[in-house]
Amino acid sequence: MRILVVEDDARLRELLTEGLEQEGFTIETAADGLSGLALARSGGYAAIVLDVMLPGCSGYQVCSRLREQGDWT
């Protein structure tokens, strides 16, 4: 199962990735909202762990844009 983690804090992103990988998930990451949105649009994720305060585009904006395109991940 693929999960996208969008988090600008490098240490927190690493910890989330390590923990989720230990549970057997395949993780992809992004460090800002625009990169996260681009990855999310590529699809195929079972879940997206999305920080709210991100550089470039907030987590709320990422979520809103995905919803506008019919993506309910």
Side-chain angles (χ1 to χ4, degrees), residues 19-71:
L20 291 167
E21 285 177 339
Q22 287 177 3
E23 294 298 320
F25 297 103
T26 301
I27 307 302
E28 293 186 33
T29 65
D32 62 75
L34 294 175
S35 297
L37 181 60
L39 283 171
R41 285 178 172 161
S42 71
Y45 295 102
I48 300 172
V49 178
L50 184 60
D51 186 13
V52 174
M53 296 179 65
L54 294 165
C57 175
S58 78
Y60 291 122
Q61 291 170 317
V62 171
C63 187
S64 176
R65 290 178 187 177
L66 290 172
R67 296 294 186 261
E68 288 171 359
Q69 296 172 345
D71 185 341

Side-chain angles (χ1 to χ4, degrees), residues 5-35:
V5 174
V6 186
E7 170 60 60
D8 60 327
D9 182 290
R11 183 67 182 138
L12 182 54
R13 189 173 58 247
E14 289 172 18
L15 290 171
L16 286 167
T17 299
E18 288 174 19
L20 291 167
E21 285 177 339
Q22 287 177 3
E23 294 298 320
F25 297 103
T26 301
I27 307 302
E28 293 186 33
T29 65
D32 62 75
L34 294 175
S35 297

